[in-house]
Amino acid sequence: MYFPGLEGVVVKETKICHIDLENSKIYYRGYDLEELAERSTFEETAYLLWHGNLPRRSELEEFRRSLAQHRIPPSHVKDLLLRAPRAAEPIDVLRTAVSAMAFGEDLRDKSPQVELARGLKITGAMPYIVAAFDRSRRGLGPAEPAEAGSHAEFFLWALRGERPSPREARALDVMLIIYAEHSMNNSAFTAVTVASTLADMYAAVTAAIASLKGPLHGGANVDASLMLEEVGDAKNVERWVEEQLAKGRRIPGFGHRLYKRGPDPRLRVLRRLARDLAAERGDYRWVELAERLEEYVTAKLSQKGIYPNTDLYAAVIFRYLGLPVDVNLPVFAMSRVAGWVAHVVEYRQANRLIRPTERYTGPVGLRYVPVEERG
Ligand code: CMC
């Protein structure tokens, strides 16, 4: 059996995320993602993904406190990100910093509780790592807003050095919920593959960040933002799209391995969020541009199963939140880490080393010729 791209191959049984393509619904642990986006928080959603149930008030408070305790990473990690060259890509700095979080820790215990505690440490520290590197490359010292409430508020505050408005913090919170988990995507599979060797959580998350970087996966949210800038105005959409297709290029923020018969259900939330932020700012440029792209590309390519994906509207939302374009990608990682950790812990419950096979199509029996005789 040969399944290019492992399309349709089931690698594990799961209770984490269900994508109901028929009814255009996504469920985290049985809860409708749209309801979570409306009523929950990233912290509560992460707890749900990791523990399988919504926390009681005291459990949620304890979880939030523990996450907040890990906001400032160990000093060797701080040093590393403050010394990274300004030209480094923020996603590379994040990947390296998460890897370095393993230094000095006794990593032998791989029990679920200990791996979840590592997941909490990583999740807690990611916003600071991303924000402090961005400030450092702008010549600014790190901001450590001790009074920040939510994970989302802490990140925006640590990035800007100023408290964000409650609406901005909530908009990012919703993005973090929406991006937190999406079944056996490439980075979740990468995390699980690494975890299946019984390597630790730091190793699994580091590898998952590396996977997320690619432009066919998370990197698309950076490319989609660059596209918005390049297209510039809704009236240029048709010409720009035609030029790209004529050059054989793919349009960032469109297409998905799963959503071939209709758009991603998460778009309902993201379109609304993008519109709300546009209205708040009185600036509809980016959202109208994305809507026009959606309309034109869908009319042109839906017969091939191409619809917009989350990265199109994430790019719009991140523009309204004023994120530097290349910070879009580590923000995706700050959220998706919740899913990665959940998958690692779940897979280990019935761990089996992931070791597929391949079909050899090369020659055999070639004779070795010494280098001097090779002509
Ligand atoms: N623009 C134009 N044509 C496309 C696009 C696109 N974005 N995506 C796929 N196609 C075409 C593709 O060229 C192929 O055409 P043909 O049959 O004529 O050769 C057809 O659609 C089927 O493509 P595929 O490669 O079989 O589709 P896939 O399921 O392997 O690819 C994908 C999924 C996400 C890699 C792809 O759609 C893509 O490259 N999209 C652009 C990058 C992107 O937005 N990635 C984010 C994905 S969603 C969020 C995430 O995972 O992070």
Side-chain angles (χ1 to χ4, degrees), residues 215-218 220 245 249-257 260 301 304 306 309-311 332:
L216 299 187
H217 192 8
L245 295 178
R249 297 201 185 132
R250 292 183 175 204
I251 314 297
F254 286 86
H256 199 283
R257 180 61 64 77
K260 306 262 187 211
L301 297 179
K304 270 197 195 180
I306 306 297
N309 60 50
T310 45
D311 292 325
F332 191 166

Short mmCIF file of all heavy atoms in Angstrom, two decimals, residues 215-218 220 245 249-257 260 301 304 306 309-311 332, ligand 1:
data_model
loop_
_atom_site.label_atom_id
_atom_site.label_comp_id
_atom_site.label_asym_id
_atom_site.label_seq_id
_atom_site.Cartn_x
_atom_site.Cartn_y
_atom_site.Cartn_z
N PRO A 215 5.87 26.75 4.39
CA PRO A 215 4.81 27.55 3.78
C PRO A 215 3.57 26.74 3.38
O PRO A 215 2.52 27.32 3.16
CB PRO A 215 5.47 28.17 2.54
CG PRO A 215 6.69 27.38 2.29
CD PRO A 215 7.12 26.79 3.61
N LEU A 216 3.67 25.41 3.32
CA LEU A 216 2.46 24.63 3.06
C LEU A 216 1.65 24.44 4.34
O LEU A 216 0.51 24.00 4.31
CB LEU A 216 2.81 23.26 2.47
CG LEU A 216 3.54 23.27 1.13
CD1 LEU A 216 3.66 21.86 0.58
CD2 LEU A 216 2.87 24.18 0.11
N HIS A 217 2.27 24.75 5.48
CA HIS A 217 1.59 24.59 6.79
C HIS A 217 1.49 25.98 7.41
O HIS A 217 0.96 26.90 6.79
CB HIS A 217 2.40 23.57 7.60
CG HIS A 217 1.75 23.03 8.84
ND1 HIS A 217 0.45 23.28 9.18
CD2 HIS A 217 2.25 22.24 9.84
CE1 HIS A 217 0.17 22.67 10.33
NE2 HIS A 217 1.25 22.03 10.74
N GLY A 218 2.03 26.17 8.61
CA GLY A 218 1.83 27.44 9.32
C GLY A 218 2.44 28.65 8.63
O GLY A 218 1.93 29.77 8.76
N ALA A 220 2.14 29.63 5.92
CA ALA A 220 1.17 30.29 5.03
C ALA A 220 0.59 31.56 5.65
O ALA A 220 0.14 32.44 4.93
CB ALA A 220 0.05 29.32 4.66
N LEU A 245 -1.25 32.51 -10.94
CA LEU A 245 -1.62 31.20 -11.50
C LEU A 245 -0.89 30.96 -12.82
O LEU A 245 -0.45 29.84 -13.09
CB LEU A 245 -3.14 31.10 -11.68
CG LEU A 245 -3.95 31.14 -10.37
CD1 LEU A 245 -5.45 31.10 -10.65
CD2 LEU A 245 -3.56 30.00 -9.42
N ARG A 249 2.08 29.44 -9.56
CA ARG A 249 2.22 29.57 -8.10
C ARG A 249 0.91 29.28 -7.40
O ARG A 249 -0.15 29.46 -7.97
CB ARG A 249 2.66 31.00 -7.75
CG ARG A 249 4.01 31.33 -8.32
CD ARG A 249 4.63 32.48 -7.56
NE ARG A 249 5.88 32.85 -8.19
CZ ARG A 249 6.24 34.08 -8.50
NH1 ARG A 249 5.45 35.09 -8.18
NH2 ARG A 249 7.40 34.32 -9.08
N ARG A 250 1.02 28.88 -6.13
CA ARG A 250 -0.17 28.68 -5.31
C ARG A 250 -0.52 29.97 -4.59
O ARG A 250 0.37 30.76 -4.25
CB ARG A 250 0.08 27.58 -4.29
CG ARG A 250 0.22 26.26 -5.00
CD ARG A 250 0.42 25.12 -4.05
NE ARG A 250 0.43 23.89 -4.82
CZ ARG A 250 0.13 22.71 -4.33
NH1 ARG A 250 -0.19 22.57 -3.07
NH2 ARG A 250 0.18 21.65 -5.09
N ILE A 251 -1.79 30.16 -4.32
CA ILE A 251 -2.22 31.36 -3.62
C ILE A 251 -2.20 31.06 -2.12
O ILE A 251 -2.93 30.15 -1.65
CB ILE A 251 -3.67 31.78 -4.04
CG1 ILE A 251 -3.83 31.73 -5.56
CG2 ILE A 251 -4.03 33.15 -3.47
CD1 ILE A 251 -2.97 32.68 -6.34
N PRO A 252 -1.38 31.78 -1.34
CA PRO A 252 -1.31 31.49 0.10
C PRO A 252 -2.67 31.71 0.77
O PRO A 252 -3.41 32.62 0.38
CB PRO A 252 -0.30 32.51 0.64
CG PRO A 252 0.37 33.11 -0.54
CD PRO A 252 -0.52 32.90 -1.72
N GLY A 253 -2.96 30.89 1.77
CA GLY A 253 -4.24 31.07 2.47
C GLY A 253 -5.39 30.38 1.77
O GLY A 253 -6.55 30.58 2.14
N PHE A 254 -5.07 29.57 0.76
CA PHE A 254 -6.12 28.80 0.05
C PHE A 254 -5.71 27.34 -0.06
O PHE A 254 -4.52 27.05 -0.24
CB PHE A 254 -6.36 29.36 -1.35
CG PHE A 254 -7.11 30.66 -1.34
CD1 PHE A 254 -6.42 31.86 -1.19
CD2 PHE A 254 -8.50 30.69 -1.41
CE1 PHE A 254 -7.10 33.07 -1.13
CE2 PHE A 254 -9.18 31.89 -1.36
CZ PHE A 254 -8.48 33.09 -1.23
N GLY A 255 -6.71 26.47 0.02
CA GLY A 255 -6.46 25.04 -0.15
C GLY A 255 -6.25 24.35 1.19
O GLY A 255 -5.74 24.96 2.14
N HIS A 256 -6.70 23.13 1.26
CA HIS A 256 -6.51 22.35 2.49
C HIS A 256 -6.69 20.88 2.17
O HIS A 256 -7.57 20.52 1.39
CB HIS A 256 -7.51 22.78 3.57
CG HIS A 256 -7.10 22.37 4.94
ND1 HIS A 256 -7.23 21.08 5.39
CD2 HIS A 256 -6.54 23.08 5.94
CE1 HIS A 256 -6.77 21.02 6.62
NE2 HIS A 256 -6.34 22.22 6.98
N ARG A 257 -5.89 20.05 2.80
CA ARG A 257 -5.99 18.61 2.56
C ARG A 257 -7.37 18.07 2.93
O ARG A 257 -7.88 17.15 2.30
CB ARG A 257 -4.87 17.91 3.36
CG ARG A 257 -4.81 16.41 3.24
CD ARG A 257 -4.58 15.90 1.83
NE ARG A 257 -3.33 16.25 1.21
CZ ARG A 257 -2.14 15.71 1.44
NH1 ARG A 257 -2.02 14.77 2.34
NH2 ARG A 257 -1.08 16.10 0.77
N LYS A 260 -12.06 19.96 0.97
CA LYS A 260 -12.08 19.97 -0.50
C LYS A 260 -13.50 20.17 -1.02
O LYS A 260 -13.70 20.35 -2.21
CB LYS A 260 -11.56 18.64 -1.06
CG LYS A 260 -10.18 18.24 -0.54
CD LYS A 260 -9.10 18.60 -1.52
CE LYS A 260 -7.75 18.06 -1.09
NZ LYS A 260 -6.64 18.90 -1.51
N LEU A 301 -11.35 28.51 -8.44
CA LEU A 301 -10.69 27.23 -8.14
C LEU A 301 -11.53 26.24 -7.32
O LEU A 301 -11.05 25.13 -7.03
CB LEU A 301 -9.37 27.49 -7.39
CG LEU A 301 -8.29 28.26 -8.17
CD1 LEU A 301 -7.06 28.46 -7.30
CD2 LEU A 301 -7.88 27.53 -9.45
N LYS A 304 -11.73 22.70 -8.25
CA LYS A 304 -10.58 21.84 -7.92
C LYS A 304 -10.53 21.52 -6.43
O LYS A 304 -9.56 20.95 -5.93
CB LYS A 304 -9.29 22.62 -8.22
CG LYS A 304 -8.74 22.47 -9.61
CD LYS A 304 -7.29 22.94 -9.54
CE LYS A 304 -6.73 23.17 -10.90
NZ LYS A 304 -5.32 23.63 -10.81
N ILE A 306 -10.55 23.95 -4.04
CA ILE A 306 -9.76 24.99 -3.35
C ILE A 306 -10.68 26.06 -2.77
O ILE A 306 -11.43 26.71 -3.51
CB ILE A 306 -8.75 25.67 -4.32
CG1 ILE A 306 -7.87 24.63 -5.02
CG2 ILE A 306 -7.90 26.71 -3.60
CD1 ILE A 306 -6.99 23.82 -4.10
N ASN A 309 -8.44 29.08 3.55
CA ASN A 309 -8.18 28.42 4.83
C ASN A 309 -7.99 29.49 5.91
O ASN A 309 -8.02 30.69 5.62
CB ASN A 309 -7.00 27.45 4.72
CG ASN A 309 -5.70 28.12 4.31
OD1 ASN A 309 -5.31 29.13 4.88
ND2 ASN A 309 -5.03 27.57 3.30
N THR A 310 -7.78 29.05 7.14
CA THR A 310 -7.73 29.99 8.28
C THR A 310 -6.64 31.04 8.12
O THR A 310 -6.76 32.14 8.64
CB THR A 310 -7.42 29.24 9.60
OG1 THR A 310 -6.37 28.32 9.34
CG2 THR A 310 -8.63 28.55 10.15
N ASP A 311 -5.56 30.68 7.42
CA ASP A 311 -4.42 31.59 7.37
C ASP A 311 -4.74 32.89 6.63
O ASP A 311 -4.11 33.92 6.89
CB ASP A 311 -3.20 30.88 6.77
CG ASP A 311 -2.71 29.79 7.71
OD1 ASP A 311 -2.80 30.00 8.93
OD2 ASP A 311 -2.26 28.74 7.23
N PHE A 332 1.07 31.47 15.88
CA PHE A 332 0.40 30.20 15.57
C PHE A 332 1.00 29.09 16.47
O PHE A 332 0.27 28.32 17.10
CB PHE A 332 0.63 29.90 14.08
CG PHE A 332 -0.17 28.77 13.47
CD1 PHE A 332 -0.22 28.64 12.08
CD2 PHE A 332 -0.85 27.85 14.23
CE1 PHE A 332 -0.93 27.61 11.48
CE2 PHE A 332 -1.57 26.80 13.64
CZ PHE A 332 -1.60 26.68 12.27
N1 CMC B 1 -3.56 27.97 -5.04
C1 CMC B 1 -3.71 27.49 -6.29
N2 CMC B 1 -3.84 26.20 -6.58
C2 CMC B 1 -3.80 25.32 -5.55
C3 CMC B 1 -3.65 25.74 -4.23
C4 CMC B 1 -3.52 27.13 -3.99
N3 CMC B 1 -3.37 27.60 -2.75
N4 CMC B 1 -3.64 24.68 -3.43
C5 CMC B 1 -3.78 23.60 -4.21
N5 CMC B 1 -3.88 24.00 -5.50
C6 CMC B 1 -4.08 23.13 -6.66
C7 CMC B 1 -2.87 22.26 -6.92
O1 CMC B 1 -1.94 22.92 -7.74
C8 CMC B 1 -3.50 21.07 -7.60
O2 CMC B 1 -3.81 21.44 -8.92
P1 CMC B 1 -3.69 20.36 -10.11
O3 CMC B 1 -4.65 19.27 -9.76
O4 CMC B 1 -4.08 21.13 -11.33
O5 CMC B 1 -2.26 19.91 -10.10
C9 CMC B 1 -4.85 20.92 -6.86
O6 CMC B 1 -5.13 22.23 -6.36
C10 CMC B 1 -4.80 19.95 -5.70
O7 CMC B 1 -3.70 20.28 -4.88
P2 CMC B 1 -2.93 19.26 -3.93
O8 CMC B 1 -1.48 19.63 -3.92
O9 CMC B 1 -3.29 17.85 -4.26
O10 CMC B 1 -3.58 19.57 -2.57
P3 CMC B 1 -3.03 19.14 -1.16
O11 CMC B 1 -4.17 18.58 -0.42
O12 CMC B 1 -1.81 18.30 -1.23
O13 CMC B 1 -2.54 20.56 -0.62
C11 CMC B 1 -2.09 22.47 0.58
C12 CMC B 1 -2.99 21.23 0.46
C13 CMC B 1 -2.52 23.23 1.83
C14 CMC B 1 -0.64 22.04 0.74
C15 CMC B 1 -2.25 23.37 -0.68
O14 CMC B 1 -3.58 23.70 -0.88
C16 CMC B 1 -1.38 24.62 -0.65
O15 CMC B 1 -0.21 24.56 -1.01
N6 CMC B 1 -1.96 25.80 -0.21
C17 CMC B 1 -1.22 27.02 -0.14
C18 CMC B 1 -0.47 27.10 1.18
C19 CMC B 1 -1.41 27.22 2.36
O16 CMC B 1 -2.27 28.09 2.42
N7 CMC B 1 -1.18 26.38 3.39
C20 CMC B 1 -1.95 26.41 4.64
C21 CMC B 1 -2.76 25.19 4.78
S1 CMC B 1 -4.03 25.27 6.01
C22 CMC B 1 -3.33 25.71 7.52
C23 CMC B 1 -2.20 24.87 7.97
O17 CMC B 1 -2.16 23.66 7.78
O18 CMC B 1 -1.31 25.44 8.53
#
